[in-house]
Amino acid sequence: METNQLDLQYPIGRPTMPEGPLTPAERTEYINQLAALPAQLTAAARKAGGVRLENSYRPGGWTGRQVLHHVADVHQNFDIRFRLALTEDNPTIRPFDPNAWIELPDVAASPVTVSLALLEAVHSRWVTLLWHLTDEQWQRTFYHPTYQRTYTLDQALAQYSWHGRHHLAHIELLSRED
């Protein structure tokens, strides 16, 4: 049962962090994944349907509604982290508690379409920015105090692309025929 729980929690596996700079081909793949995410999440949410989005994808996990609002919240922060790293020298980013954020009243009161539209808008700007970065800019950094670690933008790109695909897989779990 433990393995099954881990499979449900990490349906695409755990993230891996590149140690060195990404190749242009790797960056292209990750950027394309971020560009595709809003449409993929929208399609997965439609397939799951409203009733299933009120269910959790695993025992003790968030509901589909919470996951969709979470992705919009977090990806706004991810975009801002990139912008801070590009305009400041190794800024310390502001962490937040995603479990507390999903308990805020707007998560239950707002249709998921609001967060899906927000995600589409954020990704449109963010992906445009990413396509225009130089090799030097990809090596700019920010510091994450929770993990006590400095990340390059290359590393953040890999991590954030994984994050979107990770939660897409959670929504897809809700649309499985049982």
Side-chain angles (χ1 to χ4, degrees):
M1 185 68 162
E2 182 67 28
T3 300
N4 191 18
Q5 282 292 356
L6 281 176
D7 289 346
L8 292 174
Q9 186 174 3
Y10 294 102
I12 66 167
R14 293 182 184 264
T16 57
M17 188 69 60
E19 291 303 317
L22 296 173
T23 66
E26 290 169 325
R27 283 187 199 124
T28 295
E29 178 65 24
Y30 289 131
I31 295 169
N32 283 337
Q33 290 169 1
L34 287 173
L37 182 67
Q40 291 171 329
L41 274 174
T42 298
R46 282 191 184 124
K47 185 174 179 186
V51 173
R52 286 188 180 168
L53 290 176
E54 299 305 323
N55 298 329
S56 174
Y57 59 91
R58 69 178 171 89
W62 293 342
T63 67
R65 165 187 291 280
Q66 289 172 318
V67 168
L68 292 168
H69 288 303
H70 163 77
V71 173
D73 289 343
V74 173
H75 285 226
Q76 289 178 85
N77 277 280
F78 291 169
D79 174 49
I80 290 168
R81 290 174 185 177
F82 266 75
R83 292 172 188 282
L84 288 170
L86 289 166
T87 59
E88 300 176 17
D89 288 332
N90 196 39
T92 298
I93 59 97
R94 173 81 168 82
F96 62 96
D97 179 356
N99 289 313
W101 282 36
I102 63 162
E103 296 300 328
L104 293 172
D106 65 314
V107 171
S110 298
V112 296
T113 54
V114 171
S115 282
L116 290 168
L118 179 59
L119 188 70
E120 176 68 38
V122 168
H123 275 236
S124 179
R125 289 270 319 273
W126 188 21
V127 166
T128 298
L129 174 66
L130 298 178
W131 282 126
H132 289 88
L133 297 184
T134 65
D135 288 339
E136 182 179 285
Q137 287 173 313
W138 282 107
Q139 300 318 304
R140 292 191 59 89
T141 60
F142 63 81
Y143 178 75
H144 197 305
T146 301
Y147 302 113
Q148 298 182 354
R149 179 181 172 142
T150 297
Y151 293 87
T152 66
L153 292 185
D154 267 341
Q155 291 171 323
L157 176 65
Q159 176 76 26
Y160 299 165
S161 172
W162 173 88
H163 181 266
R165 291 179 292 112
H166 166 72
H167 286 305
L168 172 61
H170 290 150
I171 300 301
E172 289 171 339
L173 286 170
L174 291 172
S175 62
R176 290 190 318 196
E177 295 298 324
D178 293 325

